[in-house]
């Protein structure tokens, strides 16, 4: 997987209009998603401040929030580190994801305009292109945009936030699954089925497609432990 990661260091955070804490959190989440910060990795504040070009005070605010979300944990004699997830917890996370993603797909069909469905189809094409390219960061970005579109059309930002947090807890498993060519090809077919069902506004088929997509991801990701 290492050859698919574009940069193994955290990029400096640009101090612009959005709250700096949010930018640090986004940078840390991205580092965890892409494997720059792996489960169990000890977080050294000095190193993080240097890589992100931020103050220790700002960094600590962001770390506290990620710790409250369970993404980071405190280990005696080691300090703060990226939380590892057990196989049982990972199974539960994937099951929760399947429920949430089926829900937002249903709500999207209920509320989205034809123009929003057109936009989702464009996001799906970008996602499939990212799958074909096989670059982890590009796949993660395209998947985020695809599900952001669904949750926005569903008018359910809470679900998007919950899905994001759940995905982050299984980031290492998800990354191993995503870089597999077989899983990439399978995902392209699954996204096609999902979007076609949404286009027809067939709620039952779309819910089933959303659930199957997560179930297949779980099998792919969890296969190493016994899954995107």
């Amino acid at each position: 997987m290492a050859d698919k990661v574009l940069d193994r260091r955290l990029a400096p955070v640009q101090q612009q209009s959005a709250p700096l804490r949010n930018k640090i959190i986004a940078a840390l989440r991205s580092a965890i998603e892409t494997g720059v910060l792996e489960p169990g990795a000890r977080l050294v504040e000095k190193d993080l401040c240097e890589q992100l070009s931020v103050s220790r005070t700002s960094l600590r605010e962001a770390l506290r929030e990620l710790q409250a979300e369970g993404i980071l944990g405190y280990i005696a004699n080691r300090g703060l580190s990226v939380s590892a997830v057990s196989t049982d917890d990972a199974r539960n996370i994937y099951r929760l994801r399947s429920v949430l993603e089926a829900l937002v797909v249903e709500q999207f069909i209920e509320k989205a305009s034809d123009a929003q469905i057109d936009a989702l189809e464009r996001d799906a094409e970008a996602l499939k292109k990212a799958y074909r390219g096989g670059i982890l960061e590009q796949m993660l970005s395209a998947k985020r945009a695809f599900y952001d579109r669904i949750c926005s059309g569903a008018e359910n930002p809470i679900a998007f936030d919950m899905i994001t947090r759940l995905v982050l807890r299984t980031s290492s498993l998800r990354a191993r699954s995503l870089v597999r060519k077989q899983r990439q090809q399978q995902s392209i077919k699954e996204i096609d089925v999902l979007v076609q069902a949404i286009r027809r506004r067939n709620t039952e088929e779309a819910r089933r497609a959303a659930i199957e997509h997560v179930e297949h991801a779980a099998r792919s990701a969890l296969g190493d432990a016994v899954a995107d």
Side-chain angles (χ1 to χ4, degrees):
M1 188 181 75
D3 60 336
K4 294 293 186 181
V5 177
L6 299 179
D7 189 351
R8 302 304 299 183
R9 286 176 58 85
L10 283 68
V13 171
Q14 300 299 314
Q15 301 188 36
Q16 298 174 352
S17 57
L20 181 59
R21 176 175 56 88
N22 292 349
K23 294 190 173 191
I24 298 172
I25 289 171
L28 292 172
R29 282 177 169 168
S30 177
I32 293 169
E33 269 193 320
T34 57
V36 175
L37 296 175
E38 297 180 339
R42 181 170 171 264
L43 302 181
V44 180
E45 289 186 0
K46 180 181 178 182
D47 293 344
L48 293 176
C49 288
E50 177 185 337
Q51 292 182 51
L52 294 169
S53 297
V54 297
S55 70
R56 185 161 293 190
T57 299
S58 297
L59 175 68
R60 285 177 175 173
E61 290 177 358
L63 293 176
R64 279 196 294 269
E65 182 163 333
L66 292 175
Q67 187 176 8
E69 293 176 4
I71 295 166
L72 305 179
Y74 187 84
I75 301 176
N77 301 321
R78 281 182 54 82
L80 208 58
S81 64
V82 178
S83 297
V85 64
S86 69
T87 301
D88 286 342
D89 284 346
R91 288 195 183 101
N92 286 331
I93 287 170
Y94 279 106
R95 291 188 67 178
L96 285 168
R97 269 187 57 195
S98 70
V99 172
L100 285 170
E101 293 183 22
L103 170 64
V104 294
V105 162
E106 179 179 351
Q107 292 177 322
F108 183 86
I109 291 172
E110 291 172 356
K111 300 179 180 181
S113 65
D114 289 344
Q116 287 174 305
I117 293 178
D118 290 342
L120 181 67
E121 288 181 331
R122 290 192 293 271
D123 288 335
E125 289 302 316
L127 175 54
K128 290 187 290 182
K129 181 179 179 181
Y131 280 134
R132 295 186 186 103
I135 302 298
L136 179 59
E137 288 86 345
Q138 294 175 5
M139 288 187 284
L140 291 170
S141 177
K143 283 181 70 68
R144 193 179 302 111
F146 180 76
Y147 284 101
D148 187 14
R149 180 80 64 184
I150 292 175
C151 292
S152 296
E155 299 176 12
N156 196 340
I158 295 173
F160 183 67
D161 182 61
M162 294 175 68
I163 291 169
T164 299
R165 295 187 189 194
L166 290 171
V167 163
L168 204 55
R169 296 292 300 273
T170 56
S171 57
S172 61
L173 295 170
R174 186 183 189 223
R176 285 204 297 269
S177 173
L178 278 172
V179 297
R180 292 181 179 138
K181 289 295 182 184
Q182 182 179 3
R183 180 60 193 146
Q184 293 162 11
Q185 294 166 1
Q186 185 182 40
S187 293
I188 290 171
K189 295 177 183 177
E190 292 165 3
I191 293 300
D192 272 336
V193 171
L194 174 60
V195 173
Q196 289 168 14
I198 291 173
R199 168 57 74 186
R200 295 194 302 272
R201 295 189 185 271
N202 187 321
T203 300
E204 188 56 39
E205 284 188 18
R207 282 181 56 88
R208 184 164 59 249
I211 290 170
E212 287 180 354
H213 179 61
V214 178
E215 288 178 345
H216 293 164
R219 281 198 288 272
S220 174
L222 288 168
D224 289 340
V226 172
D228 134 65

